[in-house]
């Protein structure tokens, strides 16, 4: 499960994402929420999209803060109405020692 809501503030967009990830196999040790590449240069709190470690499952939430400078009001409204999705994927993987 993955849901999100977007709130507009004076100089930023706040994305509140709730998630619940489970895996039938214990080979996977983390998951990562992947933003659309357009948003990475605008993210104000990069720690909010760090890998989430789990052992078979995890439930939680994250708050992603995006600088809205130079975004049009039309674009922001499309984001808030979810006609444009700020997320590209959910990546699941395992830790590899190099």
């Amino acid at each position: 499960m993955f849901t999100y809501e977007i709130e507009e503030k004076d100089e930023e967009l706040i994305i509140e994402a709730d998630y619940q990830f489970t895996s039938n196999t214990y080979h996977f040790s983390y998951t990562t929420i992947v933003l659309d590449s357009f948003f990475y240069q605008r993210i104000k709190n990069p720690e909010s999209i760090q890998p989430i470690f789990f052992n078979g499952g995890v439930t939680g939430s994250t708050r992603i803060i995006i600088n809205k400078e130079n975004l049009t009001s039309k674009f922001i409204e499309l984001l808030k109405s979810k006609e444009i999705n700020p997320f590209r994927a959910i990546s699941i993987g395992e830790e590899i020692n190099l």
Side-chain angles (χ1 to χ4, degrees):
M1 175 197 79
F2 183 82
T3 60
Y4 69 93
E5 295 297 326
I6 299 176
E7 180 183 354
E8 185 176 2
K9 296 288 187 179
D10 292 333
E11 297 178 10
E12 56 200 21
L13 297 174
I14 299 173
I15 304 171
E16 295 280 351
D18 295 310
Y19 54 83
Q20 180 177 11
F21 304 120
T22 59
S23 175
N24 294 335
T25 175
Y26 289 93
H27 296 290
F28 300 120
S29 58
Y30 72 90
T31 187
T32 304
I33 299 169
V34 182
L35 289 171
D36 186 283
S37 60
F38 172 80
F39 294 98
Y40 279 102
Q41 64 186 349
R42 299 177 165 279
I43 195 164
K44 293 175 97 174
N45 61 337
E47 68 278 0
S48 65
I49 57 169
Q50 294 298 315
I52 302 160
F53 294 95
F54 69 99
N55 185 12
V58 67
T59 299
S61 64
T62 190
R63 172 181 278 195
I64 303 166
I65 302 172
I66 303 292
N67 179 348
K68 73 173 197 177
E69 184 180 1
N70 297 324
L71 297 180
T72 67
S73 58
K74 174 78 173 168
F75 183 80
I76 292 169
E77 287 306 314
L78 290 172
L79 277 170
K80 288 168 53 177
S81 69
K82 298 183 180 179
E83 291 182 51
I84 295 176
N85 187 345
F87 300 99
R88 178 63 62 207
I90 304 295
S91 172
I92 299 174
E94 61 182 297
E95 186 174 1
I96 299 173
N97 292 326
L98 300 176

